[in-house]
Amino acid sequence: GAVVSQHPSRVICKSGTSVKIECRSLDFQATTMFWYRQFPKQSLMLMATSNEGSKATYEQGVEKDKFLINHASLTLSTLTVTSAHPEDSSFYICSARDLASGDTGELFFGEGSRLTVL
Amino acid sequence: GQQVMQIPQYQHVQEGEDFTTYCNSSTTLSNIQWYKQRPGGHPVFLIQLVKSGEVKKQKRLTFQFGEAKKNSSLHITATQTTDVGTYFCAGSSSNDYKLSFGAGTTVTVRA
């Protein structure tokens, strides 16, 4: 099946620094990728929709200047957590939908990135 | 957007028993998908339901989409230890391609 690669899988950073997380679709193209945040034993909270070649669409309550999203190609989206604080510590997961499956196909998830901000 | 509610949040099952997790939406869905996330892993697609009243089976798993396309269920028979994990339903409406995820049902199995 389709594979989405996400890295780093784990990152520890100091408060105030920025961290970039990459999400790549390895064997398909995706005009849209989704970024989620997942707290322990909780559901997936959609943060933003990454759109290839255009600005990301952020969900209500998510600061766009805090979580910078770039979708420069059909296979790569990045999420940068800027000026990270301990409350940003979480599990971040990306997902992508194969361009060929349209708007309602299954989502392929990356392995997730666990961010710890000291 | 639509809200998707899922119950129960936790399901402790004796190995060999059956259980069901339920998903309800505040609005009519165009499709509903189910995902499984193993402990420490990422969600993996299980199935998609599109038609009203649709029923699909995958071995011991039976998925159902309600007639009104506002609810869905996942029924697992003869639970095994390999069924451990969190099962999420996720739905989208016809005018919104984004998937809204339910809270998930975390399943543990007693051997």
Side-chain angles (χ1 to χ4, degrees):
Chain A
V3 176
V4 172
S5 175
Q6 184 177 344
H7 76 92
S9 58
R10 292 179 182 273
V11 56
I12 300 173
C13 71
K14 293 182 179 180
S15 185
T17 61
S18 295
V19 173
K20 180 184 285 188
I21 302 169
E22 291 189 350
C23 181
R24 293 180 184 272
S25 56
L26 297 186
D27 49 3
F28 66 96
Q29 293 182 326
T31 54
T32 303
M33 292 187 178
F34 303 92
W35 287 95
Y36 302 84
R37 187 171 178 176
Q38 187 176 34
F39 293 99
K41 299 183 179 180
Q42 293 191 23
S43 189
L44 299 158
M45 184 192 80
L46 179 64
M47 298 174 63
T49 302
S50 173
N51 304 299
E52 188 268 336
S54 64
K55 293 182 179 180
T57 305
Y58 290 82
E59 296 301 301
Q60 190 173 6
V62 178
E63 300 176 56
K64 62 180 181 180
D65 295 328
K66 173 75 172 175
F67 300 99
L68 300 179
I69 291 173
N70 183 272
H71 194 152
S73 76
L74 288 172
T75 59
L76 173 64
S77 175
T78 61
L79 167 68
T80 302
V81 183
T82 63
S83 187
H85 291 284
E87 56 265 31
D88 298 325
S89 299
S90 189
F91 192 56
Y92 294 88
I93 312 179
C94 69
S95 71
R97 186 176 272 144
D98 191 334
L99 177 62
S101 69
D103 291 338
T104 59
E106 66 182 273
L107 294 177
F108 299 99
F109 283 84
E111 304 93 334
S113 300
R114 185 162 301 283
L115 170 64
T116 303
V117 184
L118 302 177
Chain B
Q2 67 276 358
Q3 291 189 339
V4 176
M5 292 145 286
Q6 189 174 353
I7 57 169
Q9 186 176 2
Y10 298 100
Q11 185 79 57
H12 307 291
V13 189
Q14 180 70 42
E15 189 174 19
E17 291 185 342
D18 303 350
F19 75 90
T20 304
T21 173
Y22 300 90
C23 194
N24 289 284
S25 169
S26 56
T27 59
T28 302
L29 302 171
S30 61
N31 74 88
I32 195 156
Q33 300 179 8
W34 286 87
Y35 292 80
K36 178 182 179 181
Q37 184 175 20
R38 294 182 183 274
H42 61 278
V44 175
F45 175 81
L46 292 177
I47 209 158
Q48 177 173 266
L49 303 171
V50 179
K51 299 178 182 177
S52 170
E54 188 171 14
V55 178
K56 287 187 177 180
K57 291 189 176 184
Q58 288 181 351
K59 298 182 179 179
R60 295 179 293 103
L61 277 61
T62 301
F63 303 84
Q64 187 169 7
F65 202 7
E67 293 291 339
K69 301 182 74 174
K70 296 180 72 173
N71 58 76
S72 180
S73 64
L74 161 59
H75 181 76
I76 299 182
T77 59
T79 304
Q80 299 177 359
T81 55
T82 54
D83 296 324
V84 165
T86 301
Y87 295 83
F88 293 100
C89 62
S92 64
S93 60
S94 58
N95 59 356
D96 187 352
Y97 58 86
K98 293 182 293 186
L99 280 174
S100 293
F101 280 80
T105 294
T106 298
V107 177
T108 54
V109 179
R110 299 190 300 273

